[in-house]
Amino acid sequence: IGESLLDQDLHHTSQTIARLIKVPLLPNQWIALMSFTFNVGAGALQRSAMRSKINRKEHTEIPQELLKWVYVR
């Protein structure tokens, strides 16, 4: 039952990313965004400056955006 719940959560996370991110991502970028979204939630991705920067293809600024989330409570 645990694996089924995890599969559902990952599917929902994947759908959220597909809806919010409008540019193609490399596999490693997708996986990193899956991890981020799974851990902090879809709402956090939706409201984040990181999402806007990804959609504007400002990839060099993404590591700095991720650092903003290191100590989020």
Side-chain angles (χ1 to χ4, degrees):
I1 191 165
E3 286 183 31
S4 176
L5 293 172
L6 177 61
D7 285 344
Q8 290 174 12
D9 285 348
L10 291 174
H11 179 72
H12 176 71
T13 301
S14 181
Q15 287 183 320
T16 298
I17 292 170
R19 181 174 52 84
L20 295 175
I21 302 301
K22 305 300 182 189
V23 297
L25 297 174
L26 297 173
N28 62 327
Q29 293 169 325
W30 181 270
I31 292 167
L33 203 51
M34 282 284 292
S35 177
F36 172 85
T37 306
F38 185 84
N39 284 293
V40 300
L45 175 63
Q46 186 173 6
R47 293 184 303 272
S48 71
M50 182 172 65
R51 177 182 64 96
S52 300
K53 290 181 181 192
I54 291 170
N55 284 328
R56 289 191 307 257
K57 298 182 180 182
E58 297 173 356
H59 299 296
T60 58
E61 296 185 33
I62 303 310
Q64 190 64 28
E65 290 300 317
L66 283 170
L67 287 175
K68 294 178 182 179
W69 294 90
V70 172
Y71 298 108
V72 172
R73 294 179 191 227

